[in-house]
Amino acid sequence: MNVEMNKIENATPHAINLMQDGEVYLTIPPTMDPIRLYDEWSPIGTFDMTDDCTGSVTGIPFEFPKFSTLDENGEGIELPELQHGVFYVVSKMVAEAFWYRADFLIPGKIQKDENGRICGCECLSHIRGKDFSALTY
């Protein structure tokens, strides 16, 4: 499948390095304010743990995250308008929240350096994978 891509906007706070054979061939710097989700944490309880390294630990907090498109003031985040041929690189969390956006892409086949730090990716991907072509654009 070939996709017409006239422009890629980087809606993350990080440069995206596209790599081939361990070398960067294209860097996409951040080009707009990041699209972010906001989180709210709900306590569920605590748990206790015992293992060979740390011994016994009690009262470890256990909480459930709820991600929202509303900021701390209850304001909704503004998403870019759909434009033919324009795609946005976003975080995986944003892509999962807006899975129906055919123009939201994520870095795919993440590459790490010898210290285990992310240094780039081999491709851009859509959270829906092969179902991408079925999305409305």
Side-chain angles (χ1 to χ4, degrees):
M1 172 177 68
N2 240 355
V3 176
E4 182 182 336
M5 197 175 289
N6 298 325
K7 185 175 185 182
I8 300 175
E9 295 280 358
N10 181 356
T12 76
H14 314 285
I16 305 296
N17 293 321
L18 286 162
M19 301 177 75
Q20 187 173 35
D21 300 324
E23 298 294 324
V24 175
Y25 68 90
L26 177 64
T27 297
I28 307 168
T31 55
M32 58 187 290
D33 288 337
I35 299 173
R36 297 192 181 276
L37 293 180
Y38 298 91
D39 58 351
E40 183 179 307
W41 293 85
S42 301
I44 295 172
T46 61
F47 65 93
D48 302 332
M49 182 181 89
T50 302
D51 70 20
D52 295 337
C53 295
T54 59
S56 181
V57 180
T58 60
I60 299 169
F62 187 59
E63 298 188 13
F64 179 77
K66 177 184 175 193
F67 297 101
S68 172
T69 58
L70 299 179
D71 68 14
E72 57 276 354
N73 300 318
E75 305 273 331
I77 61 172
E78 288 189 37
L79 297 177
E81 296 285 326
L82 283 170
Q83 299 177 60
H84 185 75
V86 178
F87 290 82
Y88 302 88
V89 180
V90 297
S91 71
K92 186 175 179 185
M93 286 177 55
V94 169
E96 287 172 341
F98 299 103
W99 59 267
Y100 53 87
R101 288 286 300 248
D103 57 340
F104 281 9
L105 304 177
I106 58 172
K109 294 185 175 181
I110 300 299
Q111 299 297 299
K112 296 182 179 184
D113 66 16
E114 60 277 351
N115 297 315
R117 290 185 300 245
I118 294 174
C119 56
C121 62
E122 290 185 17
C123 64
L124 297 177
S125 180
H126 192 274
I127 201 73
R128 293 286 302 252
K130 65 181 180 181
D131 294 337
F132 169 76
S133 60
L135 297 172
T136 315
Y137 185 56

